[in-house]
Amino acid sequence: MELDLSIILLVWQDRAYLPACLEAIARAQQDLALEIILVENGIALDETEYALPQFANPIPIRNIHNAKNRGVAPARNQGLAAARGRYLMLLDVDTIVTQDALTQLTHFMDANPRVGLAGPRLQDAQGNLQLTCRQLPTVGSKILRRIPMRWARAALADEMLEAYDHRAPRDVDYVIGACQIIRCAAYEMVGVLDARFFYGPEDVDYCMRMWQGGWRVMYAPQAIVTHIEQRVTQRRLFSRLTLRHARDLARFFWKHKYLFTRPRLQPAAEQLDSESAFVARG
């Protein structure tokens, strides 16, 4: 049987969120043929931590164990390499997919064959919108995000697409890696995540490469996912992980050869294919 969707879950210090994440996936399965790939990144899960509620259709779970933390991109690449679905999903374990989110996302991709990667509407536990579809970052905007002042947030408004009402699908530079659905054909063309990124802008880099490979990146807000955003690098300013993140940001800007002026990714409207209906069937 052909699998509709392979969901890759990378588990590290966020293992406490895993049972709720898995239960939400099981409740959202509906008629989809799913598989779940758990990548244990420097931890060893007990079977009780991923005992999956069984509803109409059992969902197979496969485990990949890493004796040490290999970083986000290398570990997710392991899951992607093992996946067998026609769509691949990178999903953080601190998420709760709503009951129709997986169906909405797969139908959205079916309806828009030039979309290589898409992301849903992410919201916090209170239902507040998280600004997760964005323009490319710059060195200046990365500095501004560290300044907890109202004027700094105002300066970021364009990059964060704050004026966009977030109710209609649209092309975007990137969607954050907390939940990304990837077309298998696009993955095979663009390749794996850049494994040099330990914890950092691998999600931005991958969306850039999708655009550069001729695929569209879109925001699909009909699908809703609750995201308990952890912001690990902001807990301690000079932690080892924060320093690795800073190094990866430097690598990102060096790789893409820009600093303060973001490159233009999206093709001109006349270059887009004739798709006009961004409709997710429910």
Side-chain angles (χ1 to χ4, degrees), residues 196-198 242-252:
R196 293 174 295 177
F197 295 120
F198 184 89
T242 301
L243 294 174
R244 279 184 162 179
H245 180 64
R247 180 196 65 187
D248 285 344
L249 284 174
R251 176 177 286 120
F252 170 84

Short mmCIF file of all heavy atoms in Angstrom, two decimals, residues 196-198 242-252:
data_model
loop_
_atom_site.label_atom_id
_atom_site.label_comp_id
_atom_site.label_asym_id
_atom_site.label_seq_id
_atom_site.Cartn_x
_atom_site.Cartn_y
_atom_site.Cartn_z
N ARG A 196 25.65 20.50 7.59
CA ARG A 196 26.60 21.34 8.32
C ARG A 196 25.90 22.20 9.37
O ARG A 196 26.55 22.74 10.26
CB ARG A 196 27.37 22.23 7.34
CG ARG A 196 28.29 21.45 6.42
CD ARG A 196 28.91 22.36 5.39
NE ARG A 196 27.90 22.92 4.49
CZ ARG A 196 28.17 23.79 3.52
NH1 ARG A 196 29.42 24.20 3.33
NH2 ARG A 196 27.20 24.25 2.74
N PHE A 197 24.58 22.32 9.27
CA PHE A 197 23.82 23.08 10.26
C PHE A 197 23.45 22.17 11.42
O PHE A 197 22.62 21.27 11.27
CB PHE A 197 22.56 23.69 9.63
CG PHE A 197 22.84 24.72 8.58
CD1 PHE A 197 22.38 24.55 7.29
CD2 PHE A 197 23.56 25.86 8.88
CE1 PHE A 197 22.62 25.49 6.31
CE2 PHE A 197 23.82 26.82 7.92
CZ PHE A 197 23.35 26.64 6.62
N PHE A 198 24.04 22.42 12.57
CA PHE A 198 23.75 21.61 13.75
C PHE A 198 22.41 22.01 14.36
O PHE A 198 21.54 21.18 14.61
CB PHE A 198 24.87 21.77 14.78
CG PHE A 198 24.71 20.91 16.01
CD1 PHE A 198 25.24 19.62 16.03
CD2 PHE A 198 24.04 21.36 17.13
CE1 PHE A 198 25.09 18.81 17.15
CE2 PHE A 198 23.88 20.57 18.25
CZ PHE A 198 24.41 19.29 18.26
N THR A 242 23.67 27.92 21.99
CA THR A 242 23.53 29.26 21.44
C THR A 242 24.74 29.62 20.58
O THR A 242 24.60 30.21 19.50
CB THR A 242 23.36 30.29 22.56
OG1 THR A 242 22.21 29.95 23.33
CG2 THR A 242 23.21 31.69 22.01
N LEU A 243 25.92 29.27 21.03
CA LEU A 243 27.13 29.55 20.26
C LEU A 243 27.15 28.75 18.97
O LEU A 243 27.59 29.25 17.92
CB LEU A 243 28.37 29.27 21.11
CG LEU A 243 28.54 30.19 22.33
CD1 LEU A 243 29.71 29.74 23.18
CD2 LEU A 243 28.70 31.65 21.90
N ARG A 244 26.68 27.50 19.03
CA ARG A 244 26.59 26.71 17.80
C ARG A 244 25.59 27.34 16.83
O ARG A 244 25.80 27.35 15.61
CB ARG A 244 26.17 25.27 18.13
CG ARG A 244 27.32 24.40 18.60
CD ARG A 244 26.85 22.97 18.82
NE ARG A 244 27.97 22.05 18.85
CZ ARG A 244 27.86 20.74 19.05
NH1 ARG A 244 26.67 20.20 19.24
NH2 ARG A 244 28.93 19.97 19.06
N HIS A 245 24.50 27.83 17.39
CA HIS A 245 23.48 28.49 16.55
C HIS A 245 24.08 29.72 15.87
O HIS A 245 23.85 29.95 14.67
CB HIS A 245 22.29 28.87 17.42
CG HIS A 245 21.18 29.54 16.68
ND1 HIS A 245 20.46 28.93 15.68
CD2 HIS A 245 20.66 30.80 16.78
CE1 HIS A 245 19.55 29.75 15.21
NE2 HIS A 245 19.66 30.91 15.86
N ALA A 246 24.84 30.51 16.62
CA ALA A 246 25.49 31.69 16.04
C ALA A 246 26.46 31.29 14.93
O ALA A 246 26.53 31.95 13.88
CB ALA A 246 26.20 32.48 17.13
N ARG A 247 27.20 30.25 15.15
CA ARG A 247 28.13 29.76 14.12
C ARG A 247 27.37 29.34 12.87
O ARG A 247 27.79 29.63 11.73
CB ARG A 247 28.93 28.58 14.68
CG ARG A 247 29.93 27.99 13.69
CD ARG A 247 30.40 26.62 14.16
NE ARG A 247 29.30 25.66 14.17
CZ ARG A 247 29.37 24.42 14.66
NH1 ARG A 247 30.50 24.02 15.21
NH2 ARG A 247 28.35 23.61 14.62
N ASP A 248 26.23 28.66 13.06
CA ASP A 248 25.46 28.21 11.92
C ASP A 248 24.83 29.38 11.16
O ASP A 248 24.69 29.34 9.94
CB ASP A 248 24.37 27.22 12.36
CG ASP A 248 24.95 25.85 12.69
OD1 ASP A 248 26.09 25.57 12.30
OD2 ASP A 248 24.25 25.05 13.35
N LEU A 249 24.44 30.42 11.88
CA LEU A 249 23.95 31.62 11.20
C LEU A 249 25.04 32.24 10.33
O LEU A 249 24.78 32.66 9.19
CB LEU A 249 23.45 32.64 12.23
CG LEU A 249 22.10 32.37 12.88
CD1 LEU A 249 21.82 33.40 13.97
CD2 LEU A 249 20.98 32.40 11.83
N ALA A 250 26.26 32.31 10.88
CA ALA A 250 27.37 32.84 10.09
C ALA A 250 27.60 31.98 8.84
O ALA A 250 27.84 32.51 7.74
CB ALA A 250 28.63 32.89 10.95
N ARG A 251 27.51 30.69 9.01
CA ARG A 251 27.68 29.78 7.86
C ARG A 251 26.59 30.01 6.82
O ARG A 251 26.83 30.00 5.61
CB ARG A 251 27.68 28.33 8.34
CG ARG A 251 27.75 27.32 7.20
CD ARG A 251 27.81 25.89 7.71
NE ARG A 251 29.13 25.60 8.25
CZ ARG A 251 29.38 25.23 9.50
NH1 ARG A 251 28.38 25.13 10.37
NH2 ARG A 251 30.61 24.97 9.91
N PHE A 252 25.36 30.23 7.29
CA PHE A 252 24.24 30.47 6.38
C PHE A 252 24.48 31.71 5.52
O PHE A 252 24.34 31.66 4.30
CB PHE A 252 22.95 30.62 7.20
CG PHE A 252 21.78 31.10 6.40
CD1 PHE A 252 21.01 30.22 5.67
CD2 PHE A 252 21.44 32.46 6.37
CE1 PHE A 252 19.92 30.66 4.92
CE2 PHE A 252 20.36 32.91 5.64
CZ PHE A 252 19.60 32.01 4.91
#
